[in-house]
Amino acid sequence: MKNEYMPISLLVGIIAMVWVFVCNTLGWPSWAGFIGWSVYFYGGAKPEAIKTSGPGFLLGAVLAIVTVQVMSILPDNPYLVVLPVFFLAFLMTYAQNINWFQIAPATFLGSATFFGTESIFDTLVVGFLLGMVVLGLVTTYTNKWLTNAVSK
């Protein structure tokens, strides 16, 4: 068994523990932050991930919010309500043609976070800002600091 990932694993465990404690204290869904944090890792676990995966996450969230709004004004018809879902899925996938949105999983996860939380705050603040940006950057920079401290 390799111990190569022991330091980062311990660090992530500690950050996750603190994150859940903070979320439980504030009444936030910790899982929304874990989704954002996962998108950060999927994007390469470095600050550039915010630039490469972040726009897709935000696009997915915005498209999901719009989809819910459109669905709320449509008549209650099971055949009609699926049309906004088609456009949501189509746009999230087609957006890969634009450089900012090339990472489709980030777009789908942004959308799923909104559908799961049903909250703009929980999606954009807890999922994106705190999960992807803060937890991501804390992980990266704390890991660099620990690695430098241990290797000296």
Side-chain angles (χ1 to χ4, degrees), residues 11 24 26 32 37 42 44-45 51 67 70-71 74 78-81 88 92 95 113-115 118-119 143:
L11 174 62
N24 286 345
L26 298 173
W37 200 13
Y42 182 82
K51 295 177 191 172
T67 298
V70 169
M71 291 171 91
L74 291 176
Y79 300 105
L80 190 58
V81 79
L88 170 66
M92 287 191 303
T113 302
F114 177 74
F115 283 118
E118 298 180 347
S119 164
N143 185 50

Side-chain angles (χ1 to χ4, degrees), residues 24-70:
N24 286 345
T25 301
L26 298 173
W28 295 342
S30 60
W31 64 267
F34 282 117
I35 289 177
W37 200 13
S38 298
V39 171
Y40 180 85
F41 275 99
Y42 182 82
K46 51 190 166 209
E48 294 79 27
I50 297 166
K51 295 177 191 172
T52 59
S53 299
F57 186 96
L58 294 172
L59 176 65
V62 168
L63 290 174
I65 292 164
V66 169
T67 298
V68 168
Q69 293 302 312
V70 169

Side-chain angles (χ1 to χ4, degrees), residues 51-146:
K51 295 177 191 172
T52 59
S53 299
F57 186 96
L58 294 172
L59 176 65
V62 168
L63 290 174
I65 292 164
V66 169
T67 298
V68 168
Q69 293 302 312
V70 169
M71 291 171 91
S72 73
I73 61 173
L74 291 176
D76 189 21
N77 178 321
Y79 300 105
L80 190 58
V81 79
V82 297
L83 290 176
V85 173
F86 165 80
F87 285 108
L88 170 66
F90 172 82
L91 290 171
M92 287 191 303
T93 306
Y94 193 74
Q96 292 176 96
N97 288 298
I98 301 168
N99 284 340
W100 285 23
F101 309 119
Q102 287 184 342
I103 301 179
T107 307
F108 276 80
L109 287 167
S111 176
T113 302
F114 177 74
F115 283 118
T117 63
E118 298 180 347
S119 164
I120 293 171
F121 175 85
D122 289 341
T123 301
L124 299 180
V125 174
V126 177
F128 175 74
L129 182 63
L130 297 176
M132 184 173 192
V133 177
V134 173
L135 292 178
L137 293 176
V138 164
T139 303
T140 295
Y141 291 116
T142 304
N143 185 50
K144 283 183 183 179
W145 177 78
L146 287 173

Side-chain angles (χ1 to χ4, degrees), residues 10-33:
L10 289 170
L11 174 62
V12 167
I14 291 167
I15 293 170
M17 178 180 65
V18 170
W19 173 248
V20 169
F21 177 80
V22 168
C23 287
N24 286 345
T25 301
L26 298 173
W28 295 342
S30 60
W31 64 267

